[in-house]
Amino acid sequence: FRRSSKSKGFTLVETIIAITVIGMVVASATQLTQSSLRISRSGMNQFIAYHLAEEGVEVVRHLRDSNWLQNRTWRTGLGDGQYMIADSNDLLSGARFSLQPVSDPSGAEITLSESEKFTRVLKLTSTPEGAMRITAQVGYEEYGKTREVELNAELTDWKKGPL
């Protein structure tokens, strides 16, 4: 066999350029994956916080309706103030939850896992029209920053009719 003088392999320069290009592609893919995971975590935390706030409003609505079923005024136990949700052992009232006054929001902590901790505070205030405004605030830490979701609702004594 005759050997040609031209080499058919890669030169050292071509190999270095190929490794550099592959390295840049891998680094970009890694960065994209990290960004996607961060955005996903952020979206999940916001989703959880919103639904914890919505659950707080629903608990207050349930307590209002339980008051009617027990022939009490609709605002019994729902005075103006800041509250956290607690399990109720009062099986006679039909209410599974109760509201406990809270002065420090950190006392209303909800722990879902070691890394996911939320605080939920429900603020009840009376409106001039005789309704009750509920402000459910859920806070959480995310990447060193404090985030908050707030949900507002208004409840009325619907048995009386429209305001």
Side-chain angles (χ1 to χ4, degrees):
F1 284 112
R2 285 176 99 193
R3 290 197 167 208
S4 68
S5 60
K6 292 187 176 182
S7 174
K8 293 185 180 185
F10 289 112
T11 65
L12 183 59
V13 173
E14 291 172 328
T15 305
I16 291 173
I17 290 172
I19 289 173
T20 303
V21 169
I22 290 171
M24 290 172 55
V25 168
V26 169
S28 297
T30 303
Q31 185 68 24
L32 180 64
T33 302
Q34 286 178 342
S35 296
S36 295
L37 290 173
R38 188 178 190 120
I39 290 168
S40 175
R41 168 71 71 189
S42 180
M44 181 57 78
N45 284 340
Q46 191 172 13
F47 177 81
I48 291 170
Y50 173 78
H51 285 285
L52 286 172
E54 191 171 20
E55 179 186 53
V57 171
E58 290 301 319
V59 165
V60 175
R61 186 174 284 130
H62 171 72
L63 291 172
R64 176 201 60 184
D65 295 347
S66 294
N67 284 336
W68 277 320
L69 292 172
Q70 299 298 317
N71 289 326
R72 296 184 287 211
T73 63
W74 71 285
R75 294 271 326 237
T76 300
L78 301 173
D80 290 357
Q82 291 188 9
Y83 298 93
M84 61 183 264
I85 298 171
D87 285 331
S88 175
N89 295 327
D90 185 9
L91 298 176
L92 296 176
S93 72
R96 179 159 188 296
F97 302 102
S98 64
L99 297 181
Q100 290 184 344
V102 62
S103 56
D104 179 19
S106 65
E109 189 172 276
I110 301 166
T111 304
L112 300 179
S113 71
E114 189 65 34
S115 61
E116 294 175 329
K117 295 183 183 191
F118 297 83
T119 56
R120 174 175 54 201
V121 175
L122 304 173
K123 294 180 183 178
L124 306 182
T125 53
S126 299
T127 65
E129 298 85 22
M132 174 177 44
R133 180 170 289 118
I134 306 165
T135 303
Q137 293 177 324
V138 178
Y140 58 97
E141 285 281 325
E142 183 178 79
Y143 304 113
K145 294 183 181 177
T146 301
R147 306 274 189 215
E148 186 175 278
V149 170
E150 184 174 293
L151 183 63
N152 295 296
E154 218 170 81
L155 296 182
T156 62
D157 184 2
W158 55 265
K159 282 189 167 187
K160 277 185 170 179
L163 292 176

